[in-house]
């Protein structure tokens, strides 16, 4: 059992046995009630490294897992999660990835509720990461989440490839337009040199709609 001091009072958290996905559920009593779901997860910076721990209030990130009781303070339920990035010390701000905490109606949690929920999430995440069987839990979480991560990665790569193809096509179109604009400017300049006139002078002026300007920015 973990005992956690919060602005709302003392909270006690009792962990369950780990499930096949390497996750634990911490049952809360005292100033807060409900369940905190904790599991190993991929690093925010490196999706293929499971060197982070995610602590979630109830069912906010249950995904395929069964929904759990949301954490309540004075009868009001809250959602949100905290990620402990193990590559950094817990004493530095970047050792944690904090999410905005909201109530069940998606409204921001009051300041005291946030100040109560944050130490609860951090304490449960810290307890999970300090377990003697943490390496086994990491391995189970990795096996469970890898198919989902690969599916996400495949979709991300496909989207990036489509975007790249679109940008390359646009770049080629702009290059062609730039060449044409420059050729038109050169032709117009020759005409103006032979027969000065206000109209070609206006078209040759260096303003935003000029051929010279179009040739310059389209190339970029």
């Amino acid at each position: 059992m973990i005992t956690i001091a919060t602005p709302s009072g003392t909270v006690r958290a009792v962990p369950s046995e780990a499930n096949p996905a390497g996750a634990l559920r911490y049952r809360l009593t005292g100033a807060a009630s409900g369940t905190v779901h904790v599991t190993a997860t991929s690093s925010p910076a490196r999706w293929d490294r499971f060197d982070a721990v995610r602590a979630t209030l109830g069912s906010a990130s249950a995904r395929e897992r069964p929904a759990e009781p949301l954490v309540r303070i004075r009868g009001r339920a809250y959602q949100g999660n905290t990620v402990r990035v193990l590559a950094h010390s817990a004493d530095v701000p970047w050792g944690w990835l904090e999410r905005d905490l909201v109530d069940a109606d998606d409204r921001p949690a009051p300041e005291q509720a946030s100040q109560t929920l944050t130490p609860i999430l951090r304490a449960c995440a810290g307890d999970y990461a300090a377990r003697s069987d943490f390496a086994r839990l990491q391995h189970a979480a990795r096996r469970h989440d890898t198919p989902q991560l690969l599916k996400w990665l495949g979709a991300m790569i496909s989207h990036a490839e489509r975007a790249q193809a679109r940008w390359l096509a646009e770049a080629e179109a702009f290059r062609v337009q730039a060449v044409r604009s420059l050729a038109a400017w050169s032709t117009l300049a020759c005409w103006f040199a032979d027969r000065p006139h206000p109209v070609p002078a206006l078209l040759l002026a260096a303003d935003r709609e000029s051929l010279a300007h179009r040739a310059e920015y389209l190339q970029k």
Side-chain angles (χ1 to χ4, degrees):
M1 183 180 69
I2 312 169
T3 301
I4 310 159
T6 77
S8 299
T10 301
V11 176
R12 288 169 289 279
V14 180
S16 66
E17 292 295 321
N19 68 12
L24 271 69
R25 293 170 174 83
Y26 287 77
R27 183 173 58 84
L28 306 181
T29 56
S33 61
T35 303
V36 174
H37 182 283
V38 187
T39 185
T41 189
S42 55
S43 167
R46 291 290 302 270
W47 68 270
D48 57 333
R49 292 186 180 177
F50 273 68
D51 57 353
V53 173
R54 184 181 65 244
T56 306
L57 299 174
S59 57
S61 67
R63 293 189 289 190
E64 317 125 356
R65 303 183 182 99
E68 302 147 19
L70 289 174
V71 173
R72 292 179 176 272
I73 301 173
R74 298 185 180 92
R76 188 174 176 182
Y78 295 96
Q79 304 177 67
N81 64 68
T82 286
V83 174
R84 169 76 179 95
V85 184
L86 300 177
H88 305 297
S89 169
D91 297 327
V92 297
W94 48 91
W96 300 90
L97 185 63
E98 310 280 13
R99 304 292 187 187
D100 291 335
L101 301 172
V102 298
D103 65 14
D105 296 320
D106 207 30
R107 295 173 299 190
E111 183 177 357
Q112 182 168 347
S114 294
Q115 292 175 351
T116 297
L117 296 168
T118 297
I120 292 173
L121 288 167
R122 288 191 171 198
C124 293
D127 180 78
Y128 181 94
R131 287 175 62 100
S132 59
D133 61 347
F134 179 64
R136 180 181 65 83
L137 299 178
Q138 273 183 311
H139 180 67
R142 182 184 292 109
R143 290 191 61 182
H144 179 268
D145 285 1
T146 293
Q148 294 172 310
L149 286 169
L150 291 175
K151 183 178 179 181
W152 165 79
L153 183 62
M156 184 181 69
I157 290 173
S158 297
H159 174 77
E161 288 176 340
R162 290 193 300 271
Q164 183 187 40
R166 184 176 69 254
W167 293 334
L168 289 173
E170 290 176 354
E172 178 60 18
F174 291 154
R175 188 191 67 80
V176 171
Q177 291 179 42
V179 171
R180 290 174 178 172
S181 295
L182 187 58
W185 187 93
S186 299
T187 301
L188 190 61
C190 291
W191 290 351
F192 181 73
D194 290 340
R195 295 184 179 181
H197 191 276
V199 173
L202 183 63
L203 294 174
L204 289 168
D207 60 29
R208 285 189 57 83
E209 301 303 323
S210 71
L211 293 169
H213 180 72
R214 282 180 57 79
E216 181 183 12
Y217 81 74
L218 286 170
Q219 284 282 17
K220 292 178 180 179

